[in-house]
């Protein structure tokens, strides 16, 4: 798997046009539990990005925390108020050639914590 910096360089030099051909989001499995700790990637990002200790619901998922959206400055206390955004969008990386990667490489990219951030819903 290429390092994120190399991917950023690739996307900067590739044709990343607005209105580029649509990609199939299911080709990039995300919110999977790659490390087998019982928390999928979304939950891990919520835990990492919370400014206060998180609490968990009976289902084991993050129930509350304190997040400040890096895009808007809005404060959220519930994960329902949040999206987890890919800094380098899946559509952009697909247009740059990632559609030819193996499913393992695409899954790793879609779940790379260095490329993910919790943001206020709709701000991504």
């Amino acid at each position: 798997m290429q390092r994120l910096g190399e991917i950023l360089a690739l996307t900067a030099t590739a044709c990343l046009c607005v209105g580029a051909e649509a990609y199939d989001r299911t080709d990039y499995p995300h919110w999977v539990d790659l490390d087998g700790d019982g928390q999928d990637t979304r939950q891990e990002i919520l835990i990492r990005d919370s400014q206060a200790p998180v609490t968990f619901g009976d289902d084991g998922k993050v129930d509350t925390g304190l997040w400040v959206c890096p895009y808007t400055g809005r404060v959220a206390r519930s994960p329902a108020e949040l999206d987890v955004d890919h800094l380098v969008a899946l559509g952009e990386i697909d247009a740059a050639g990632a559609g030819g990667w193996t499913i393992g490489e695409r899954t790793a990219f879609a779940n790379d914590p260095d490329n993910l951030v919790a943001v206020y819903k709709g701000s991504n």
Side-chain angles (χ1 to χ4, degrees):
M1 178 71 193
Q2 295 177 332
R3 297 181 59 149
L4 182 59
E6 294 167 343
I7 292 169
L8 291 171
L10 173 66
T11 59
T13 58
C15 176
L16 303 176
C17 310
V18 174
E21 244 179 78
Y23 72 103
D24 187 347
R25 193 166 175 85
T26 63
D27 288 342
Y28 295 85
H30 52 287
W31 310 164
V32 298
D33 182 10
L34 289 178
D35 59 9
D37 68 354
Q39 296 291 344
D40 68 25
T41 305
R42 176 180 164 80
Q43 299 303 308
E44 291 182 0
I45 298 306
L46 293 172
I47 294 165
R48 181 197 69 191
D49 289 357
S50 180
Q51 301 294 311
V54 299
T55 62
F56 297 91
D58 292 338
D59 60 0
K61 292 185 178 183
V62 175
D63 192 39
T64 64
L66 178 66
W67 298 271
V68 179
C69 177
Y71 301 159
T72 66
R74 290 183 71 175
V75 174
R77 297 190 182 277
S78 167
E81 299 175 87
L82 301 169
D83 287 329
V84 173
D85 187 27
H86 289 92
L87 299 172
V88 177
L90 299 179
E92 290 180 353
I93 201 67
D94 189 81
W101 291 353
T102 67
I103 189 67
E105 290 170 324
R106 286 179 276 138
T107 300
F109 180 82
N111 292 278
D112 182 347
D114 291 337
N115 187 42
L116 295 167
V117 62
V119 300
Y120 203 83
K121 199 167 206 115
S123 68
N124 67 344

